[in-house]
Amino acid sequence: MVNPDNVADVAALYERIYLIRRVEEEIIRIYPTDKVKSPVHLSIGQESVSVGVCSNLRSQDIVYATYRGHAAYLAKGGNLNKMFAELYGKVGGFASGKAGSMHLGDIDAGMIGTSAIVSTSIPLAVGNALAMRMQGRDVVTVVFFGEGATDEGVYHESLNFASLKKLPILFVCENNFYAIYSHVRDRMPDANICERANAYRIPAKKIEGGDIFAICNAARDSLAAINAGEGPQFLECMTYRWRDHVGPGEDRHIEYRPDSELDRWIKDDQVARLAGMLDAATRDKIESSTNSRIAAAETAAEESPFPDPEIMYTNVYQ
Amino acid sequence: MVNPDNVADVAALYERIYLIRRVEEEIIRIYPTDKVKSPVHLSIGQESVSVGVCSNLRSQDIVYATYRGHAAYLAKGGNLNKMFAELYGKVGGFASGKAGSMHLGDIDAGMIGTSAIVSTSIPLAVGNALAMRMQGRDVVTVVFFGEGATDEGVYHESLNFASLKKLPILFVCENNFYAIYSHVRDRMPDANICERANAYRIPAKKIEGGDIFAICNAARDSLAAINAGEGPQFLECMTYRWRDHVGPGEDRHIEYRPDSELDRWIKDDQVARLAGMLDAATRDKIESSTNSRIAAAETAAEESPFPDPEIMYTNVYQ
Amino acid sequence: MSISDRSISYATALYEATHQEMSRDPSVFVYGLGVDDAKGMYGSTMALHRDFGPERCFDTPLAEDAMTGVGIGAAIAGMRPIHVHQRMDFLLLCMNQLVNMAAKMGYMTDGAVKVPMVIRGIIGRSWGQGAQHSQALHSFFMHVPGIRVVAPTTPYDAKGCMIAAIRDNNPVVFMEHRMLYNNQGIVPEEPFEVPFGQARILSEGDDITILGISHMVVEALRAKHLLEKVGIDAEVIDPVSLAPLDIDTILRSVEKTGRLLIVDTSWLHCGASAEIIAQIYERQQGSRHFLARRLGYQETPCPTTRSLENVYYPSAKSIALRAYEMMGNDVASWVPDEVEAVEIAEFKGPF
Amino acid sequence: MSISDRSISYATALYEATHQEMSRDPSVFVYGLGVDDAKGMYGSTMALHRDFGPERCFDTPLAEDAMTGVGIGAAIAGMRPIHVHQRMDFLLLCMNQLVNMAAKMGYMTDGAVKVPMVIRGIIGRSWGQGAQHSQALHSFFMHVPGIRVVAPTTPYDAKGCMIAAIRDNNPVVFMEHRMLYNNQGIVPEEPFEVPFGQARILSEGDDITILGISHMVVEALRAKHLLEKVGIDAEVIDPVSLAPLDIDTILRSVEKTGRLLIVDTSWLHCGASAEIIAQIYERQQGSRHFLARRLGYQETPCPTTRSLENVYYPSAKSIALRAYEMMGNDVASWVPDEVEAVEIAEFKGPF
Ligand SMILES: Cc1ncc(C[n+]2csc(CCOP(=O)(O)OP(=O)(O)O)c2C)c(N)n1
Ligand SMILES: Cc1ncc(C[n+]2csc(CCOP(=O)(O)OP(=O)(O)O)c2C)c(N)n1
Ligand SMILES: [Mg+2]
Ligand SMILES: [Mg+2]
């Protein structure tokens, strides 16, 4: 159990969440230079979900996530250098630039490449859990997705099957209320996501406010239940995206959501919250080492070459 | 409200249900002659669902059903001659033989052509309901489907949307426990179909035992709610298929279901039940006129020619 | 500026066509993810929900499969739905409804019902769209009887085809390339239809026929200018509609030039380019030699990084070089000028 | 009967291949609607669940889309799933998973993951299957890089291709025609692979090349016999694998005969037949004339009634007549004998 009174616990969480926040701030800074010539879907504001859940994972556990996957990738222990190089479209990336921000993933870090088609990774994660069961491997699969993904039929088929087979998988819905500019109330008669999961006989818990400690602890309980053979578990983590759906910008001018709503979530920023729980020295140490790592990753990405045309033709077939 | 003590009510139901039963018995009789050279999915044993629900419909109401659609078609007042000619693949059929048993339908009878792909008519029915709303027409849409169809993602998407828009549609699940030879327990962690409908905020009622009066009355209540603007309603009607999934045969030899289960349902036959409630004269009159109609339809189908090859190329585009 | 010279963008042309048809016919409605949002599908559906009410222009849950079925059911019931997809790739989620239902309901009822529905699929190319946001799937729909497929290139054709598609009694897959949205062109203000099945010769020439599909028409025209500098006179054809396909016009051009270069916005195998070559060949049956070549996406998924993307898509330069080669020249003997595809160079989002 | 003369059916060949691979490699498993039922997918999966346990051969909910994704995820995790579809038409429900995920995961991770998965799609033709149970969708998958497509015709190839497909590290769409299931042929008992990308010349001839796909190979062979009676010597080719496609073998044959008739089990537009003609033409580039024709489904949805079905599908007779015409004869001058396609005539279900 993550203990808010335990400095080591807090520092570990802060180190992870600060890294993610800073990486995305760097992306915002760099973006206008056109170095990242690809859509980016930032997690800023939502980091506590990935960090809270992944803080409970072991290296052998497997994560599936979405095109909004920077946070999950880094929370799962992804390689920063490979990530920057991938964003820059360079050979130093884990996929030599073939993937980019929307298909982040790295088998070494236990995160499989993400999909830009909403909801389509969910059954793959279920298949991963099935394979782990068949192989008798002690691996839990975690799949992150937005509340928008729960609209899709394949989501339902996936939950039904996972529950039918009692597979070792944790479903994590990052409910940020919106799918692009569309509010969940315009897509569901009632945003009763947990109740719907229950209808598949999957125990589900809703965590309000993005509270990182609550998320950590709920994930720990869910993982324990999975390890106890109780089958799939479900977490609905309420959260909020601060930036525009895609790209580095803010989006207040679009007026699809009330400023006050965004402001309330910014006030509850979990990064600031954790920072405030640490003494200045601990914080500085984490921050400066993180910033050096990021700077180094950027430099390495800069220096890595673009792939030659021949690279295009490799790995179409395996 | 259909009154079991009212002879006229019972006779009306019997006339409809007897027609359906006899038509399918004739199909069984004729089938070995290869006159119906197409798969048939018989409703024998399940007729009370279509008859019970459709006895409440007005001619302007629209029905969508499945490849197991003989009962729905006749219950909705379909044309017997056109149906036989269609099964025989003759020009006298409503689709000149292009449709056959799996795509039964007849816009004049208010039943749109059915689909052989499980679950795919369900969103069309929802679209029909949407159109009725847009056109301000006093029409209720009813869609029949098996419990197997509820496995498919598109079913969930359809329920969600129908409820979101509060559309005037009645969902009728004919739960006969099996999808081909696969029991519902092997496809759902819990066969809580009504609870799942509720999760979409659609009021749902389960009717046990195929009881035709209970189905009639439940449908009447559901239709009243729809007409009162309460949005979609849901009925799960437990029922049982006596014959093999496809084709005219019995299937006891396949041993995927206990004989005792089938025998119990045969004992509760709703056709026999209604017959037993009528005096012999009323019954005879209904039966003999029905049998003459069927004989006439068969003769007409025999006499109708097969379509010429040119017919193939018509109505590919409209 | 006289009315007849009015120049508008491709996106505006789509918008205008839709707006005019919605005004004319109350059975027309527009739906799909984001159609009523502030970006209004690159302007093409902008504020339709304000003008016609939220019943006739509405956002949907993320449910491409059911929402397609909803459109089909509504079309059968007398409506004329326009279903908009931000990426053509998303049509892969509703292939069952499109192929098993939309394409067949009319036939399976022998004409008792019809499915007048427009399915707008936007080819997502811009930059860094990667493997799942860059596909064009027209060949799938060309394969299946019962579906029409159009891919207008100019604002004029965008408007005329959209009106024709809305009025057509069949499902019409309407393919739009994102790099065309800002292209300007002269478009009459009053409603008009561009009939399906008529190719356009956009620019005449005697030496080689270059047929482009969608955005590749623009690149083919640029290639024509490059080729002029080496004395090659290319004829550029835009088929506009792919199903039905106007093979006669293409055949006449090939009979004149003896050379056919087809440039597609998709892969080649079993693609539109294969079909066109096969049809031309079947028509000619060896009565006259002609040369035929195809260009399209590289036979790989689309890579994200720009260095590979630049090679992945055909360009004015790669088209010109291939044409040059087909004229019997050694490609090593010519370095065409760099031409900037402004619509690509200037693209900065909304991604 | 010596072992090497052992004759088994196509369905048994599939079964045997699967059984042998499941015995050899614990990562192979079979799933799909009905695979463990009493009919065992026409015998091809019969009782595998008894021999290998219900974990390795299992029925599923009706959920083609998610179940495909489950297979992909399992394949990425090191398993070798075989997903069986009773009708190829049902693949329309999982196009997103197949095209956006299975075909691309290897590329998008630059080879870090692979998707060794077999997707068995059964072409449902028998009688009265109608518009939604009779489709063959191989051209869709041939269009998309990252997917392999095989369509074996003989029991020998059925076994060898199945073993090769299971061992292949890519998604393989395995197309089976239902009218082939009872065909008998000599098949070695020990496991063997038929490598992809090698066409077979089933029967040599000098006058015309007839290329059949799947069940159409059988009809082409029957047509060859008919043609013999009028002195026409047809060469019959079975491509076996469609992606990769062995165009060299086809090209050599066409260079010999000068005539190519392609007979497909699907529509023509943007189909396998278009691709083959286009590739042959591109290779030849007018170096030699050849005649080319295509036969396939009529360009309509499949009608249910037998009188139209008989015209809808190509037959030995329609193939022979077309070949006869391509030899420069007047079709009116010949009435080929009636040949019975026993597998069709004798079909009595299970529908
Ligand atoms: C199948 C599909 N439909 C539509 C889209 C376009 N799209 C991209 S992201 C997105 C919103 C998804 O919302 P949600 O699942 O809540 O995730 P979030 O972006 O909020 O993290 C949409 C509609 C898509 N990529 N895939
Ligand atoms: C999408 C799809 N998957 C599989 C099939 C094969 N199939 C035909 S009927 C059927 C069972 C459907 O069961 P249910 O919905 O309960 O209807 P019932 O046959 O019991 O009336 C299946 C699996 C199909 N036709 N369509
Ligand atoms: Mg969201
Ligand atoms: Mg059932």
Side-chain angles (χ1 to χ4, degrees):
Chain A
M1 175 136 175
V2 175
N3 183 351
D5 297 327
N6 180 325
V7 177
D9 282 4
V10 175
L13 290 176
Y14 185 64
E15 183 164 8
R16 211 28 75 90
I17 207 168
Y18 180 77
L19 170 69
I20 298 169
R21 174 66 55 89
R22 283 290 305 125
V23 163
E24 294 206 315
E25 286 173 351
E26 277 301 288
I27 292 171
I28 295 171
R29 190 183 62 78
I30 293 163
Y31 210 76
T33 65
D34 265 3
K35 278 177 188 151
V36 182
K37 223 171 178 172
S38 178
V40 290
H41 300 77
L42 301 182
S43 308
I44 289 184
Q46 305 192 187
E47 304 92 339
S48 63
V49 183
S50 303
V51 172
V53 172
C54 292
S55 67
N56 290 282
L57 298 182
R58 304 156 303 176
S59 66
Q60 78 262 34
D61 294 330
I62 295 286
V63 162
Y64 270 93
T66 74
Y67 51 89
R68 194 180 306 288
H70 301 166
Y73 180 70
L74 292 172
K76 184 61 176 65
N79 182 311
L80 190 62
N81 284 22
K82 285 191 185 175
M83 173 172 159
F84 262 100
E86 190 60 38
L87 292 179
Y88 280 47
K90 301 296 191 73
V91 293
F94 46 78
S96 313
K98 287 174 180 170
S101 168
M102 296 203 289
H103 306 300
L104 226 54
D106 184 355
I107 193 88
D108 295 334
M111 179 159 130
I112 314 285
T114 57
S115 169
I117 311 288
V118 172
S119 213
T120 56
S121 289
I122 300 174
L124 272 72
V126 174
N128 192 74
L130 179 72
M132 296 305 106
R133 149 91 56 78
M134 285 176 151
Q135 295 168 6
R137 282 164 64 189
D138 176 23
V139 169
V140 171
T141 307
V142 178
V143 54
F144 293 97
F145 49 87
E147 90 297 335
T150 76
D151 294 354
E152 293 278 2
V154 72
Y155 165 77
H156 297 269
E157 295 178 357
S158 300
L159 261 63
N160 185 58
F161 183 75
S163 176
L164 180 71
K165 299 287 179 189
K166 282 197 160 297
L167 296 177
I169 182 166
L170 175 60
F171 294 98
V172 183
C173 177
E174 299 194 45
N175 187 343
N176 64 6
F177 303 91
Y178 294 90
I180 308 186
Y181 307 134
S182 169
H183 195 276
V184 63
R185 86 174 81 81
D186 297 323
R187 292 178 282 114
M188 294 172 76
D190 188 2
N192 56 340
I193 290 174
C194 285
E195 182 185 343
R196 290 182 178 194
N198 285 157
Y200 298 105
R201 297 292 171 258
I202 299 180
K205 187 169 177 195
K206 180 168 180 168
I207 298 122
E208 301 284 357
D211 181 335
I212 190 161
F213 295 107
I215 294 169
C216 279
N217 294 334
R220 196 207 41 164
D221 293 347
S222 298
L223 292 166
I226 292 168
N227 285 321
E230 293 173 26
Q233 307 290 316
F234 194 103
L235 296 178
E236 180 185 7
C237 302
M238 305 312 290
T239 186
Y240 208 79
R241 155 171 68 70
W242 292 6
R243 294 271 158 169
D244 201 348
H245 166 72
V246 60
E250 311 221 34
D251 67 3
R252 288 182 194 259
H253 61 289
I254 300 178
E255 296 184 347
Y256 66 102
R257 52 184 189 180
D259 278 348
S260 59
E261 189 180 85
L262 171 56
D263 291 338
R264 203 165 54 245
W265 281 91
I266 291 178
K267 204 168 66 48
D268 284 346
D269 181 18
Q270 299 294 307
V271 181
R273 178 185 180 194
L274 290 172
M277 294 168 76
L278 294 170
D279 62 77
T282 314
R283 226 169 73 188
D284 284 353
K285 201 165 141 237
I286 291 171
E287 294 179 359
S288 69
S289 88
T290 301
N291 286 315
S292 322
R293 280 180 66 199
I294 294 173
E298 283 174 28
T299 309
E302 285 283 1
E303 285 166 4
S304 178
F306 279 108
D308 288 332
E310 307 85 72
I311 302 282
M312 171 122 62
Y313 308 99
T314 60
N315 290 314
V316 178
Y317 294 92
Q318 319 297 319
Chain B
M1 175 135 171
V2 176
N3 183 351
D5 297 328
N6 180 326
V7 178
D9 281 6
V10 176
L13 289 177
Y14 186 63
E15 184 165 5
R16 211 29 74 91
I17 207 169
Y18 180 75
L19 170 70
I20 298 169
R21 174 67 56 88
R22 284 290 304 125
V23 163
E24 295 205 313
E25 285 172 352
E26 277 301 287
I27 292 171
I28 295 171
R29 190 183 63 78
I30 293 163
Y31 209 77
T33 65
D34 265 5
K35 278 178 188 150
V36 182
K37 222 169 179 175
S38 179
V40 290
H41 300 77
L42 302 183
S43 307
I44 290 184
Q46 305 192 189
E47 304 92 338
S48 63
V49 182
S50 303
V51 172
V53 171
C54 293
S55 67
N56 289 283
L57 298 182
R58 304 156 302 178
S59 67
Q60 78 262 33
D61 294 331
I62 294 287
V63 162
Y64 269 93
T66 74
Y67 52 89
R68 194 180 305 290
H70 301 166
Y73 179 70
L74 292 172
K76 184 62 174 63
N79 181 312
L80 190 61
N81 284 22
K82 285 191 185 174
M83 172 172 162
F84 262 99
E86 189 61 37
L87 292 179
Y88 280 46
K90 302 296 191 72
V91 291
F94 46 78
S96 314
K98 287 174 180 170
S101 168
M102 295 202 291
H103 306 300
L104 227 53
D106 185 356
I107 193 91
D108 295 333
M111 178 159 131
I112 314 285
T114 57
S115 168
I117 310 288
V118 173
S119 214
T120 55
S121 290
I122 299 174
L124 271 72
V126 173
N128 191 76
L130 179 72
M132 296 305 106
R133 149 91 55 80
M134 285 175 151
Q135 295 166 6
R137 283 164 64 189
D138 176 24
V139 170
V140 172
T141 307
V142 177
V143 55
F144 294 96
F145 49 87
E147 90 298 335
T150 75
D151 294 354
E152 293 279 2
V154 72
Y155 165 77
H156 297 269
E157 295 178 357
S158 300
L159 262 63
N160 185 59
F161 183 74
S163 177
L164 181 71
K165 299 288 178 188
K166 282 198 161 297
L167 296 177
I169 182 168
L170 175 60
F171 294 97
V172 182
C173 177
E174 299 195 46
N175 187 342
N176 64 6
F177 303 90
Y178 295 90
I180 308 186
Y181 307 135
S182 170
H183 195 277
V184 63
R185 87 173 81 80
D186 297 324
R187 290 178 283 114
M188 294 172 76
D190 189 1
N192 56 340
I193 290 174
C194 286
E195 181 185 343
R196 290 183 179 193
N198 287 156
Y200 298 104
R201 298 291 171 257
I202 299 181
K205 186 166 177 199
K206 179 169 181 166
I207 298 122
E208 301 284 355
D211 181 336
I212 188 160
F213 295 107
I215 293 169
C216 280
N217 293 334
R220 197 208 41 168
D221 293 347
S222 298
L223 292 166
I226 291 168
N227 285 321
E230 292 173 26
Q233 306 290 316
F234 194 103
L235 295 179
E236 180 186 9
C237 302
M238 305 311 291
T239 185
Y240 208 77
R241 155 172 67 71
W242 293 5
R243 294 271 158 168
D244 201 348
H245 166 73
V246 60
E250 312 222 34
D251 66 3
R252 289 182 194 257
H253 62 288
I254 300 178
E255 296 183 347
Y256 66 102
R257 53 185 188 178
D259 278 346
S260 59
E261 189 180 86
L262 172 55
D263 291 338
R264 204 166 52 245
W265 281 91
I266 292 178
K267 205 168 66 51
D268 284 345
D269 181 18
Q270 299 294 307
V271 182
R273 178 187 180 194
L274 290 173
M277 295 169 75
L278 294 171
D279 63 78
T282 313
R283 226 169 74 188
D284 284 355
K285 202 170 137 230
I286 290 171
E287 293 180 1
S288 68
S289 88
T290 301
N291 286 314
S292 319
R293 280 180 66 199
I294 294 174
E298 283 174 28
T299 309
E302 285 284 0
E303 285 166 4
S304 178
F306 279 107
D308 288 333
E310 308 84 73
I311 301 283
M312 171 122 63
Y313 307 99
T314 59
N315 290 314
V316 177
Y317 294 92
Q318 319 297 320
Chain C
M1 188 183 80
S2 84
I3 285 269
S4 63
D5 289 347
R6 188 187 62 135
S7 179
I8 59 174
S9 74
Y10 190 93
T12 305
L14 291 173
Y15 167 78
E16 190 171 276
T18 310
H19 200 287
Q20 287 175 342
E21 286 301 289
M22 289 179 82
S23 304
R24 187 187 61 79
D25 181 350
S27 65
V28 179
F29 70 95
V30 174
Y31 71 111
L33 290 167
V35 292
D36 61 356
D37 74 17
K39 294 187 175 162
M41 217 46 68
Y42 314 104
S44 67
T45 62
M46 190 67 95
L48 290 173
H49 62 294
R50 296 224 178 93
D51 287 355
F52 299 100
E55 290 240 319
R56 290 185 64 198
C57 177
F58 58 88
D59 191 25
T60 72
L62 285 81
E64 288 78 0
D65 194 11
M67 294 316 306
T68 303
V70 165
I72 297 168
I76 289 173
M79 304 302 291
R80 293 189 173 267
I82 304 173
H83 191 187
V84 191
H85 296 268
Q86 292 158 317
R87 291 287 183 289
M88 201 167 188
D89 313 67
F90 305 160
L91 292 182
L92 290 163
L93 287 138
C94 46
M95 289 302 289
N96 179 52
Q97 286 294 335
L98 292 173
V99 175
N100 276 331
M101 302 301 277
K104 296 178 173 47
M105 285 301 290
Y107 193 77
M108 294 195 303
T109 59
D110 203 25
V113 308
K114 53 185 197 298
V115 184
M117 176 168 178
V118 182
I119 300 98
R120 288 181 51 192
I122 301 172
I123 303 173
R125 176 178 181 185
S126 56
W127 38 247
Q129 291 287 313
Q132 298 173 326
H133 272 48
S134 52
Q135 295 167 96
L137 303 171
H138 42 298
S139 69
F140 288 6
F141 302 105
M142 292 172 70
H143 187 56
V144 178
I147 303 186
R148 298 199 193 288
V149 186
V150 291
T153 307
T154 62
Y156 181 93
D157 283 339
K159 177 167 177 182
C161 284
M162 180 54 78
I163 291 180
I166 293 170
R167 295 180 185 175
D168 196 276
N169 282 333
N170 301 284
V172 179
V173 172
F174 198 100
M175 188 163 88
E176 305 160 25
H177 195 293
R178 204 144 60 116
M179 291 296 105
L180 296 172
Y181 276 70
N182 291 328
N183 278 12
Q184 300 286 319
I186 291 169
V187 180
E189 205 157 332
E190 65 280 7
F192 63 96
E193 289 184 49
V194 167
F196 298 158
Q198 282 183 21
R200 284 189 196 289
I201 297 181
L202 291 183
S203 175
E204 300 209 359
D206 285 327
D207 295 333
I208 181 168
T209 303
I210 306 181
L211 181 145
I213 291 176
S214 188
H215 180 240
M216 288 303 124
V217 173
V218 177
E219 297 286 21
L221 288 168
R222 290 190 181 113
K224 180 188 165 83
H225 294 307
L226 289 174
L227 289 163
E228 276 165 7
K229 299 185 193 160
V230 284
I232 296 171
D233 188 18
E235 176 145 311
V236 177
I237 296 189
D238 178 352
V240 187
S241 116
L242 297 169
L245 179 70
D246 174 9
I247 199 73
D248 293 330
T249 298
I250 304 168
L251 184 62
R252 270 194 302 276
S253 174
V254 176
E255 279 172 349
K256 177 174 69 174
T257 63
R259 294 177 186 83
L260 175 61
L261 174 58
I262 304 173
V263 194
D264 200 355
T265 47
S266 184
W267 299 294
L268 303 182
H269 293 165
C270 297
S273 63
E275 180 59 27
I276 293 169
I277 293 186
Q279 284 195 30
I280 292 284
Y281 197 75
E282 285 182 316
R283 292 287 192 98
Q284 284 208 328
Q285 289 302 346
S287 62
R288 172 151 179 247
H289 278 310
F290 71 98
L291 296 181
R293 287 273 179 219
R294 301 182 275 173
L295 280 177
Y297 291 178
Q298 295 299 305
E299 296 294 333
T300 77
C302 182
T304 301
T305 180
R306 73 195 80 173
S307 75
L308 301 184
E309 235 185 9
N310 291 341
V311 183
Y312 183 77
Y313 295 109
S315 63
K317 197 167 163 180
S318 67
I319 297 167
L321 277 171
R322 180 54 55 91
Y324 182 73
E325 190 184 25
M326 287 175 73
M327 293 299 298
N329 302 305
D330 177 2
V331 275
S333 70
W334 181 40
V335 181
D337 295 343
E338 290 300 328
V339 265
E340 195 175 54
V342 282
E343 71 281 7
I344 299 170
E346 287 174 2
F347 189 83
K348 287 280 177 192
F351 316 98
Chain D
M1 188 183 80
S2 84
I3 286 270
S4 61
D5 288 347
R6 189 186 63 134
S7 179
I8 59 174
S9 73
Y10 189 95
T12 305
L14 292 173
Y15 167 78
E16 190 171 277
T18 309
H19 200 287
Q20 287 175 344
E21 286 301 289
M22 289 179 82
S23 305
R24 187 186 62 79
D25 181 350
S27 65
V28 179
F29 70 95
V30 175
Y31 71 111
L33 291 166
V35 293
D36 62 356
D37 74 18
K39 294 187 176 161
M41 217 45 68
Y42 314 103
S44 67
T45 63
M46 190 66 93
L48 290 174
H49 62 293
R50 298 226 175 90
D51 287 357
F52 299 101
E55 289 240 319
R56 291 186 62 199
C57 177
F58 57 87
D59 192 25
T60 73
L62 285 81
E64 288 79 1
D65 194 12
M67 293 317 305
T68 303
V70 164
I72 297 168
I76 290 173
M79 305 301 291
R80 293 188 173 267
I82 304 174
H83 192 188
V84 191
H85 296 267
Q86 292 158 316
R87 290 288 182 287
M88 200 164 189
D89 313 68
F90 305 160
L91 292 182
L92 290 163
L93 287 138
C94 46
M95 289 302 289
N96 178 53
Q97 286 294 335
L98 293 172
V99 174
N100 275 331
M101 303 300 277
K104 296 179 173 47
M105 284 301 290
Y107 193 76
M108 294 194 305
T109 59
D110 203 25
V113 308
K114 52 185 196 301
V115 183
M117 176 169 179
V118 182
I119 300 97
R120 288 180 52 192
I122 300 172
I123 304 172
R125 175 179 181 185
S126 57
W127 38 247
Q129 291 288 312
Q132 297 173 326
H133 272 49
S134 53
Q135 295 167 96
L137 303 172
H138 43 298
S139 68
F140 288 6
F141 302 105
M142 291 171 70
H143 187 57
V144 178
I147 303 187
R148 298 200 193 287
V149 186
V150 291
T153 306
T154 62
Y156 181 93
D157 283 340
K159 178 168 177 181
C161 284
M162 180 54 78
I163 291 180
I166 293 170
R167 296 179 185 174
D168 197 277
N169 283 333
N170 302 284
V172 180
V173 172
F174 198 99
M175 187 162 87
E176 305 161 24
H177 196 292
R178 204 146 60 117
M179 290 298 103
L180 297 171
Y181 276 71
N182 292 327
N183 278 11
Q184 301 286 318
I186 292 170
V187 181
E189 205 157 330
E190 66 279 6
F192 63 95
E193 289 184 48
V194 168
F196 298 159
Q198 281 183 22
R200 283 189 198 289
I201 298 181
L202 292 184
S203 175
E204 301 209 356
D206 285 328
D207 295 332
I208 181 167
T209 304
I210 306 181
L211 180 144
I213 291 175
S214 188
H215 180 241
M216 289 303 125
V217 173
V218 178
E219 297 286 23
L221 288 168
R222 290 190 181 113
K224 179 188 167 82
H225 295 307
L226 290 175
L227 288 163
E228 276 164 7
K229 299 183 192 163
V230 284
I232 296 171
D233 188 18
E235 176 145 307
V236 177
I237 296 189
D238 179 352
V240 187
S241 116
L242 297 169
L245 180 71
D246 175 8
I247 200 72
D248 293 330
T249 299
I250 304 168
L251 184 61
R252 271 196 302 276
S253 175
V254 176
E255 278 172 349
K256 177 174 71 175
T257 63
R259 294 177 185 86
L260 174 60
L261 174 59
I262 304 173
V263 193
D264 200 354
T265 48
S266 184
W267 299 293
L268 304 182
H269 294 165
C270 297
S273 63
E275 179 60 27
I276 293 169
I277 292 185
Q279 284 196 30
I280 292 284
Y281 197 75
E282 284 180 317
R283 292 286 192 98
Q284 284 208 329
Q285 290 301 345
S287 61
R288 172 150 178 246
H289 277 311
F290 70 97
L291 296 181
R293 287 273 179 217
R294 301 182 275 173
L295 280 176
Y297 290 178
Q298 296 298 306
E299 295 295 333
T300 78
C302 182
T304 301
T305 181
R306 74 196 79 173
S307 74
L308 301 184
E309 237 185 8
N310 291 340
V311 183
Y312 183 78
Y313 296 109
S315 63
K317 198 168 160 178
S318 67
I319 296 168
L321 277 171
R322 181 54 56 91
Y324 183 73
E325 190 184 25
M326 288 175 73
M327 292 300 297
N329 302 303
D330 176 3
V331 274
S333 70
W334 181 41
V335 181
D337 295 344
E338 290 300 327
V339 265
E340 196 175 55
V342 282
E343 71 281 8
I344 299 170
E346 288 173 2
F347 189 84
K348 287 280 176 192
F351 315 98

